[in-house]
Amino acid sequence: MKTRPAGIGNVNADWMGSLPPRLSGMPLKHLAVPGSHDSFTYWVDVHAPVGPDQKVYVKYLATMFSVLAKKVMVKWSMTQNLTFKEQLDAGIRYFDLRVSSKPGEPGHDIYFIHGLFGHKVRDGLIEINSFLCKHRKEVIFLDFNHYYAMGLDHHEYLIRTLQEVFGSKLCKNCEVELITLDYLWERNYQVIVFYHHPSAQGVPVVWPGNKIPAPWANTTEPNKLIQFLESTLKQRAQQGSFHVSQAILTPRVNTVARGLVWGLRNYLVESRNLPAIMSWVEAQKPGTGGVNIITSDFVELTDFANIVIKLNSLLLSEHKPKPR
């Protein structure tokens, strides 16, 4: 069963287009933008082989105890419940993408992956493009940062697919400081693609991964995560890049073993993570040295997108002219 608390629906479908001119003229690296972690894992294929992103012992278990092992994997592989369109309608504008070919499958099809295979990437991109065609002032970040079982021909296929689906909506790589919503709207750009692989070098509409660092805490402890988020914000580069704060806890093997029947959502996210993490998010401020993109698991469990979007109002209050 999917939960739908307040704030889920299309209430934020046009939030970027609704920002006041003082914010739309500000560098996008200074605005607060909600994002999702492992964005497109709301459906995984339990009938397909275990993904090549998994360690050898996981593949072995899946082979030995196929049905049972995959049922456990589903609970720990799915980090979102909302579909592409539902996330976009809710206001999510940054997407964290891990992709893979299916070894042994003919052709060059690429799939979203997190332990188990998800949808074909092309189908997901078409759904995103459909949303963008209806919401002309909304801009999204697509961050392709993990690749599995992909040769040069697979990368060429994926980059070509991005160009075919989005066409002139793709923003050309340039100085991050130039990128404001006004700049993007003027040129009808709606998609900024980051590609963490050398095969994209020289493609004008693909940005290098170093322009969007996303430091990862790799911890199961909320307190350690918050300390990490604080310290990486202080080290945030002043020039030349966007910044992702990954407000997520990461399960380890013994975490999965202890929480076997619970799964990621119940064991790590709902019971331990949300209250502390959301308190941290609510206390943040965008702008110079502040937060930019914030990502979360299961973005629908709280008013996550709304909370992040509302942080932008702090930029308005600080720029108000002082009364004489």
Side-chain angles (χ1 to χ4, degrees):
M1 181 179 151
K2 289 180 184 173
T3 51
R4 286 286 186 282
I8 294 303
N10 63 0
V11 67
N12 289 323
D14 293 292
W15 73 265
M16 285 179 156
S18 307
L19 289 174
R22 267 190 296 171
L23 296 187
S24 65
M26 196 175 281
L28 195 46
K29 64 178 248 179
H30 289 157
L31 297 185
V33 178
S36 57
H37 166 244
D38 266 326
S39 300
F40 297 139
T41 52
Y42 61 86
W43 177 85
V44 288
D45 185 359
V46 293
H47 301 296
V50 172
D53 59 332
Q54 289 302 294
K55 292 183 169 62
V56 172
Y57 68 84
V58 176
K59 293 178 185 174
Y60 172 76
L61 286 172
T63 308
M64 295 296 292
F65 309 101
S66 181
V67 177
L68 179 63
K70 283 185 182 173
K71 281 184 177 174
V72 171
M73 283 187 74
V74 167
K75 290 183 179 181
W76 289 92
S77 294
M78 293 175 73
T79 58
Q80 303 298 336
N81 275 329
L82 301 186
T83 65
F84 309 96
K85 183 178 183 303
E86 287 170 335
Q87 289 186 51
L88 288 159
D89 280 341
I92 300 298
R93 294 293 176 268
Y94 166 91
F95 299 99
D96 162 36
L97 306 172
R98 292 111 197 273
V99 294
S100 177
S101 74
K102 274 188 187 170
E105 183 180 84
H108 296 118
D109 277 331
I110 307 296
Y111 297 81
F112 296 116
I113 192 165
H114 189 219
L116 297 168
F117 287 100
H119 288 279
K120 283 184 182 177
V121 171
R122 177 182 274 275
D123 294 342
L125 300 181
I126 289 169
E127 193 171 337
I128 292 168
N129 189 56
S130 173
F131 172 88
L132 294 175
C133 287
K134 294 172 188 152
H135 303 273
R136 289 290 182 178
K137 286 192 161 184
E138 298 309 293
V139 173
I140 60 159
F141 298 84
L142 297 180
D143 189 358
F144 289 87
N145 51 58
H146 285 69
Y147 310 89
Y148 301 95
M150 287 175 62
L152 189 57
D153 48 351
H154 291 108
H155 285 285
E156 287 172 353
Y157 169 82
L158 179 51
I159 292 165
R160 194 167 61 248
T161 300
L162 285 159
Q163 292 173 301
E164 286 169 4
V165 173
F166 294 118
S168 60
K169 292 187 183 76
L170 290 169
C171 177
K172 288 178 182 159
N173 177 20
C174 63
E175 285 181 42
V176 169
E177 278 66 31
L178 293 176
I179 301 294
T180 64
L181 287 172
D182 289 340
Y183 173 96
L184 296 165
W185 294 342
E186 200 177 297
R187 292 159 180 77
N188 296 315
Y189 291 156
Q190 289 184 273
V191 184
I192 307 177
V193 173
F194 299 88
Y195 209 87
H196 299 242
H197 192 274
S199 59
Q201 279 173 6
V203 182
V205 292
V206 176
W207 293 54
N210 63 8
K211 286 198 173 180
I212 194 155
W216 174 44
N218 191 17
T219 180
T220 57
E221 298 299 325
N223 291 342
K224 285 183 183 170
L225 171 59
I226 289 167
Q227 285 169 12
F228 179 84
L229 291 168
E230 293 287 349
S231 65
T232 49
L233 262 186
K234 285 183 185 134
Q235 296 156 13
R236 181 180 169 186
Q238 292 304 304
Q239 296 292 322
S241 73
F242 297 97
H243 182 85
V244 182
S245 297
Q246 296 199 65
I248 57 162
L249 294 179
T250 305
R252 299 203 170 94
V253 175
N254 59 353
T255 318
V256 177
R258 283 201 306 270
L260 207 57
V261 296
W262 292 88
L264 178 69
R265 174 175 159 170
N266 292 338
Y267 190 77
L268 258 193
V269 178
E270 285 187 290
S271 63
R272 305 182 64 199
N273 190 4
L274 274 183
I277 294 306
M278 291 317 298
S279 295
W280 181 84
V281 172
E282 287 173 336
Q284 294 316 295
K285 190 173 184 180
T288 308
V291 290
N292 178 201
I293 296 157
I294 306 176
T295 62
S296 173
D297 288 321
F298 301 108
V299 294
E300 84 288 355
L301 289 181
T302 64
D303 221 4
F304 171 74
N306 256 341
I307 289 165
V308 175
I309 292 164
K310 283 177 183 169
L311 295 176
N312 291 306
S313 62
L314 299 171
L315 294 168
L316 289 173
S317 57
E318 81 175 18
H319 287 93
K320 274 184 185 169
K322 290 178 182 174
R324 291 182 177 179

